[in-house]
């Protein structure tokens, strides 16, 4: 269930309450007259079955509530109520499978914005991966994958492409391109500094690295792994049963590939630079392609479920 808190101007009260009454999956409606101060108006509380949330939010948006009032939503961990059970029974489909576009768009907006914290995380992850690559440490490489925040902009780009929204797509691309450019530039300087201190060496970097050589030697498997990780990542983003954006791309070598390319650039090793760059591009392309296809399949399946439910109700 989702819990909604609405701030409703007095002249929109009837439209909002009517919309909630007409929507399937809405229960526990509470009206607190004149309880809101800024903006002024009534406070309306209600619970909505997750599978009906997208439709209910669209209905509320159509009243003009987002322009003159407010809509807040949060997941309800536990609800003990026969009315809630009935609302979920009447709502079409399963809550865990529901695609709530408003929630997905909000999450990806926050995760795909170019900020100082995002740049810091990506830079630190790339430097950590550089240490893993030079030292041939799979543990450090996996740690860098976990720290890297790049899946947020990738997910944001997928959502923007499916929704055909240019501004969010540009924002996500900016975060990806600028983020990797800054992180790789800083890692080039970091690797040269580590070499000066004797902690990195060209001999070690060019030597046999059985645990991390895959980073700069892309093949068809690289694309397949990235594609599968993209599917898992977008399912994690949209599903109520999975954690959001946490470790979903851990098996994809985006950050390690960028790190290896940066170190190779610092040493002038063009072969490893080219291989790492191809690996990076393959992974980014695989994730975006898989993410877009996953969202399109979910969107189509959910529309079919809703259409079937309406036909059954009408029949």
């Amino acid at each position: 269930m989702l819990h909604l808190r609405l701030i409703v101007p007095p002249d929109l009260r009837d439209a909002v309450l009517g919309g909630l009454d007409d929507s399937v999956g809405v229960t526990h409606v509470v009206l607190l007259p004149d309880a809101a101060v800024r903006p002024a108006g009534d406070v309306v509380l209600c619970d909505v079955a997750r599978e009906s949330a997208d439709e209910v939010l669209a209905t509320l948006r159509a009243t003009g509530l987002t322009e003159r009032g407010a809509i807040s939503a949060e997941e309800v961990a536990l609800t003990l109520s026969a009315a809630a059970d009935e609302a979920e029974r009447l709502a079409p489909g399963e809550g865990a499978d529901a695609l709530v576009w408003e929630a997905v768009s909000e999450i990806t907006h926050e995760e795909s914005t170019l900020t100082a914290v995002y740049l810091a995380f990506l830079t630190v992850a790339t430097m950590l991966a550089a240490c893993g690559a030079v030292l041939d440490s799979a543990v450090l490489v996996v740690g860098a994958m976990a720290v890297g925040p790049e899946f947020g902009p990738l997910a944001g780009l997928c959502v923007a492409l499916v929704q055909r929204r240019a501004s969010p797509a540009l924002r996500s691309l900016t975060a990806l391109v600028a983020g990797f450019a800054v992180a790789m530039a800083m890692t080039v300087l970091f690797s040269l500094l580590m070499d000066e201190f004797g902690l990195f060496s060209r001999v070690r970097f060019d030597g046999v690295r059985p645990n991390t050589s895959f980073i700069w030697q892309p093949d068809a498997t690289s694309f397949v792994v990235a594609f599968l990780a993209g599917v898992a990542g977008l399912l994690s983003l949209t599903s109520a049963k999975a954690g959001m954006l946490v470790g979903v791309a851990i098996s994809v070598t985006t950050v390690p590939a960028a790190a290896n390319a940066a170190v190779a650039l610092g040493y002038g090793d063009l072969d490893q630079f080219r291989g790492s760059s191809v690996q990076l591009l393959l992974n980014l392309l695989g994730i975006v392609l898989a993410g877009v296809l996953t969202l399109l399949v979910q969107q189509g399946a959910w529309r079919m479920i809703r259409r079937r439910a309406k036909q059954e109700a009408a029949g």
Side-chain angles (χ1 to χ4, degrees), residues 45-217:
L45 309 175
C46 65
D47 290 335
V48 181
R50 195 172 188 274
E51 47 268 53
S52 296
D54 208 42
E55 200 167 58
V56 171
L57 291 173
T59 298
L60 293 174
R61 270 188 174 276
T63 67
L65 188 58
T66 53
E67 287 75 28
R68 299 180 52 204
I71 303 174
S72 301
E74 59 183 359
E75 294 277 354
V76 179
L78 176 65
T79 301
L80 302 177
S81 164
D85 293 340
E86 179 65 10
E88 290 186 324
R89 187 188 68 80
L90 293 174
E94 295 292 333
D97 298 330
L99 185 59
V100 186
W101 278 113
E102 294 285 353
V104 171
S105 298
E106 182 65 24
I107 293 168
T108 53
H109 179 274
E110 294 176 0
E111 298 287 343
S112 62
T113 302
L114 184 63
T115 64
V117 172
Y118 167 81
L119 287 175
F121 266 114
L122 189 55
T123 300
V124 169
T126 308
M127 290 179 178
L128 184 61
C131 294
V134 176
L135 300 177
D136 195 34
S137 171
V139 173
L140 290 178
V141 169
V142 171
M145 293 177 185
V147 173
E150 75 279 8
F151 188 77
L154 286 169
L157 179 59
C158 294
V159 172
L161 289 175
V162 172
Q163 293 184 326
R164 300 179 183 179
R165 298 173 62 189
S167 180
L170 181 61
R171 182 182 63 244
S172 298
L173 278 174
T174 300
L176 280 172
V177 175
F180 273 112
V182 170
M184 291 175 69
M186 296 297 293
T187 302
V188 169
L189 298 177
F190 171 75
S191 63
L192 294 176
L193 183 63
M194 292 287 280
D195 187 82
E196 285 294 320
F197 287 137
L199 300 175
F200 283 5
S201 71
R202 177 69 183 267
V203 173
R204 174 177 281 180
F205 184 67
D206 288 339
V208 178
R209 291 183 283 146
N211 294 320
T212 57
S213 60
F214 68 92
I215 294 173
W216 61 278
Q217 295 175 343

Side-chain angles (χ1 to χ4, degrees), residues 276-295:
S276 301
S277 299
V278 171
Q279 178 77 274
L280 177 60
L281 292 175
L282 277 177
N283 280 282
L284 294 176
L285 179 61
I287 292 174
V288 171
L289 179 60
V292 169
L293 291 176
T294 300
L295 287 173

